[in-house]
Amino acid sequence: METKTAPAKRTGGRSALVLGAVKRATEELIEEKGQERLTVPMIAERASVNPTSIYRRWGDLPSLINDIATYRLDPARPLPESGTLRGDLAGWAQEIVAHYRNPVNAALLRGGAAVAGDRESDCLRNRRAEATMFVERHPESELSADRVIDHLVAPIVYRAIFLPWTLDDDTANRLVTELFAS
Amino acid sequence: METKTAPAKRTGGRSALVLGAVKRATEELIEEKGQERLTVPMIAERASVNPTSIYRRWGDLPSLINDIATYRLDPARPLPESGTLRGDLAGWAQEIVAHYRNPVNAALLRGGAAVAGDRESDCLRNRRAEATMFVERHPESELSADRVIDHLVAPIVYRAIFLPWTLDDDTANRLVTELFAS
DNA sequence: CGCTTAATGCAACTCCAATTGCGTTAGAAT
DNA sequence: ATTCTAACGCAATTGGAGTTGCATTAAGCG
């Protein structure tokens, strides 16, 4: 039997323009209207793009929001390399706090939470991968990725979702201190 | 001037029946369809109630879901009184874990997360009140309600939302141990 | 450059969520 | 029992989300 070669994706040019316009429009509107008052046609109009294009690319609104929420923090961005696990985690936590103090990112996170629950659609999976990388880089520490998630990521995310006004400047440092005190 | 007496609310009889039927229908359907595939007319039909009644009571679907998510754990239920803060928190945490291992409650939590972000619509405000009550009952401890939220409630809620399959039997006890180790 | 077809645009259509006005029922108070 | 009116049911309507078929554009590639 003949092997079917995958059709060539077209990622550049106009497609890239549409992608960027849709992402920008979604980020703008999610801040203005909030996650639940958002619709696909609204995004399409703001992006000067046809609604059909959005439906065909993402299927529905929750998938779009989850997609943007997942990749807004670039997975290829440089991560802290301070020489110590504590230093790395402190810098990393500060970055995450700063990220979610942006109302746009907090709203996207809530959208991601709304559609979470299965292994595929976890908009925070990159955080877990990064946590694992940090603890494996410093095997002398006894910290596990699980504990980093539970006592560093979880409190930040919890506050970002439910108590965003409590995400202040020293949240990250306080949590890191408490994590290493145990 | 004459003081306007508030119009008498009608909480019993038919109204109570409608309320109960709507809550039951929502809980059933949110498990079957998930939070984002849910609509008001669907709930109305399942509850044998007119959609108009739901719209007039709650306004929209997010408000309804948030309302149910907030009061599903009865605020008047008995809380642990073991004599020690650690014992109280352990029992309390176990109850919360058990609660969110129920897929219905996890789905409701995700719905509550979707509409969170301001001081009024926090479906977890009762947990914070309970945590405050526990630490105030045992002033000899140095634990603050904030730390209980950060290192006990937040990890449970985070897992319930994003990693529900990791909420196993000893999650609560492990978190309590880690909380008191620091 | 020219070919192929992926991706978008456009328009018409369907379907259902959400609104509104009005009549009916029944909870609460006296 | 009677009154008042909150809460519900019903029906008609509207508005927009989402779908589909076809034409158009342009990205990828030899």
Side-chain angles (χ1 to χ4, degrees), chain A:
Chain A
M1 83 176 251
E2 48 183 329
T3 322
K4 219 171 265 178
T5 56
K9 298 288 178 194
R10 300 180 180 178
T11 57
R14 185 168 63 165
S15 296
L17 282 179
V18 169
L19 181 67
V22 168
K23 288 183 66 171
R24 255 198 318 278
T26 305
E27 292 162 5
E28 286 176 25
L29 286 168
I30 211 171
E31 181 166 23
E32 299 174 16
K33 308 259 182 177
Q35 185 261 325
E36 78 270 10
R37 311 289 179 196
L38 203 61
T39 68
V40 170
M42 273 167 60
I43 298 172
E45 189 187 4
R46 174 74 61 104
S48 302
V49 158
N50 200 284
T52 329
S53 305
I54 298 182
Y55 286 119
R56 283 204 255 257
R57 270 215 198 184
W58 285 278
D60 56 0
L61 182 59
S63 305
L64 168 62
I65 293 179
N66 193 53
D67 182 53
I68 296 181
T70 304
Y71 295 107
R72 189 124 207 266
L73 260 185
D74 179 14
R77 75 193 186 284
L79 293 175
E81 283 201 63
S82 66
T84 68
L85 179 58
R86 176 161 183 162
D88 287 356
L89 290 180
W92 185 62
Q94 277 164 13
E95 185 195 14
I96 299 175
V97 168
H99 181 70
Y100 286 124
R101 286 184 69 168
N102 182 341
V104 177
N105 296 324
L108 285 167
L109 176 61
R110 289 183 200 106
V115 300
D118 55 274
R119 284 172 175 73
E120 294 74 40
S121 63
D122 174 15
C123 67
L124 289 162
R125 71 181 99 98
N126 291 336
R127 299 298 86 70
R128 162 159 271 276
E130 289 159 9
T132 305
M133 197 267 287
F134 282 127
V135 299
E136 286 179 351
R137 180 193 286 171
H138 298 274
E140 75 281 5
S141 157
E142 286 163 3
L143 271 184
S144 65
D146 272 335
R147 294 198 53 176
V148 175
I149 296 293
D150 279 336
H151 297 110
L152 203 54
V153 178
I156 294 173
V157 167
Y158 179 96
R159 294 172 110 98
I161 293 178
F162 296 102
L163 316 165
W165 59 89
T166 71
L167 263 189
D168 44 50
D169 285 327
D170 52 78
T171 299
N173 285 331
R174 181 175 50 76
L175 290 172
V176 169
T177 300
E178 288 165 0
L179 175 64
F180 279 85
S182 57

Side-chain angles (χ1 to χ4, degrees), chain B residues 87-168:
Chain B
D88 287 356
L89 290 179
W92 184 61
Q94 278 164 11
E95 185 196 14
I96 299 175
V97 168
H99 181 71
Y100 287 124
R101 286 182 70 167
N102 182 341
V104 177
N105 296 324
L108 285 168
L109 176 62
R110 289 184 200 104
V115 300
D118 56 273
R119 285 172 173 73
E120 292 76 38
S121 63
D122 175 13
C123 68
L124 289 162
R125 71 181 99 98
N126 292 335
R127 297 300 85 69
R128 161 158 273 275
E130 289 158 10
T132 304
M133 196 267 288
F134 282 128
V135 300
E136 286 180 351
R137 179 192 287 171
H138 298 275
E140 75 281 4
S141 156
E142 286 163 4
L143 270 184
S144 65
D146 271 337
R147 294 199 52 175
V148 174
I149 295 292
D150 280 336
H151 298 109
L152 203 54
V153 177
I156 294 172
V157 167
Y158 180 94
R159 294 171 110 98
I161 292 178
F162 296 102
L163 315 165
W165 58 90
T166 71
L167 263 189
D168 44 48

Side-chain angles (χ1 to χ4, degrees), chain B residues 8-14 39-41 52 55-56:
Chain B
K9 297 289 175 191
R10 300 182 178 177
T11 58
R14 185 167 63 164
T39 67
V40 170
T52 326
Y55 286 119
R56 283 205 253 256

